[in-house]
Amino acid sequence: MFAASRTLVTRTITRQLIPTFTAVHSIKTRHLHSDGIAERVERVLAAKTKSGKSYDDLASELGVTNAYAAQLLLGQAKLTPNTAPALKKSLPEIDDIDIQAMQDDFPMRSFNDEILKEPNVYRTYEAVTHYGEAIKRIINEQCGDGIMSAIDFYLDVGTTTGKHGEKRVVITFNGKFLPFIEQVADDNGAKSPRS
């Protein structure tokens, strides 16, 4: 199972449009190339597997949500200097160059369309799009004219037990509400091209 998920991660990362940078520091820049990012993700995921820890374990040890812990390992979130020592302590198999790369690199927060063929991803996408209009109407009714931020945002994944004893998945989106503004000309700090 690990090999299959590793292949999907590698394929997804290497197909992203990741710019190739010129190496500034010869030996310590393997993380600046798209192949290096995919390789780093494989190494980091291998360290997680070897540790036997779950994403919930990592989340507790790092002080982040379980989804954010997964995003860090997948290269989809930036490791902060405050969290780096905790990650190194939690997954000591991750080498120092990779820990530094996870802090230095800016994540490519995109996805390969191929991932939508993965059943878990597709069903989540389907649920959000199916309920999308209802979600929008309830947000507008409760908060006003605006959107939920996906930047000032927390995502947590867990389970609960249904009334018939079945395991059920619980996904919590917790995003800041961002109201649309009236574009009053006097509030615009940029000079109008019409002036």
Side-chain angles (χ1 to χ4, degrees):
M1 178 158 181
F2 172 68
S5 64
R6 185 179 68 196
T7 302
L8 177 63
V9 168
T10 303
R11 185 177 29 179
T12 301
I13 290 171
T14 55
R15 286 189 181 175
Q16 289 177 359
L17 299 176
I18 300 174
T20 301
F21 298 94
T22 305
V24 178
H25 308 287
S26 58
I27 251 174
K28 295 190 177 185
T29 55
R30 69 180 183 206
H31 60 275
L32 296 178
H33 303 282
S34 62
D35 288 343
I37 293 171
E39 291 167 1
R40 184 185 78 217
V41 169
E42 284 191 44
R43 288 189 300 272
V44 169
L45 290 176
K48 178 195 173 289
T49 300
K50 187 172 181 180
S51 76
K53 293 182 179 181
S54 69
Y55 286 110
D56 284 349
D57 295 333
L58 292 176
S60 295
E61 292 171 13
L62 302 180
V64 298
T65 66
N66 59 5
Y68 196 80
Q71 290 287 80
L72 283 170
L73 301 192
L74 293 169
Q76 290 283 309
K78 191 171 178 65
L79 180 64
T80 64
N82 290 340
T83 305
L87 179 60
K88 181 65 177 173
K89 182 178 178 185
S90 184
L91 298 176
E93 291 287 319
I94 301 177
D95 71 39
D96 291 339
I97 293 173
D98 285 339
I99 291 284
Q100 192 60 53
M102 294 169 75
Q103 294 174 78
D104 293 344
D105 292 351
F106 290 97
M108 183 64 74
R109 292 178 175 95
S110 62
F111 66 93
N112 183 308
D113 291 341
E114 288 290 308
I115 200 168
L116 292 176
K117 295 177 182 176
E118 201 288 321
N120 269 309
V121 175
Y122 175 77
R123 286 298 181 200
T124 305
Y125 175 78
E126 182 182 47
V128 170
T129 54
H130 176 75
Y131 287 95
E133 187 175 353
I135 293 168
K136 178 219 179 319
R137 287 178 178 269
I138 294 168
I139 289 172
N140 290 157
E141 183 177 86
Q142 294 183 0
C143 300
D145 186 22
I147 62 170
M148 177 182 68
S149 173
I151 295 173
D152 188 340
F153 180 82
Y154 300 87
L155 174 65
D156 207 24
V157 182
T159 61
T160 190
T161 303
K163 70 177 189 176
H164 302 292
E166 76 279 14
K167 186 173 273 193
R168 303 182 68 83
V169 177
V170 178
I171 301 173
T172 304
F173 287 6
N174 176 356
K176 180 180 179 180
F177 177 72
L178 302 174
F180 286 107
I181 63 163
E182 180 180 16
Q183 296 184 20
V184 177
D186 288 343
D187 294 341
N188 185 357
K191 184 178 177 183
S192 172
R194 296 178 288 113
S195 299

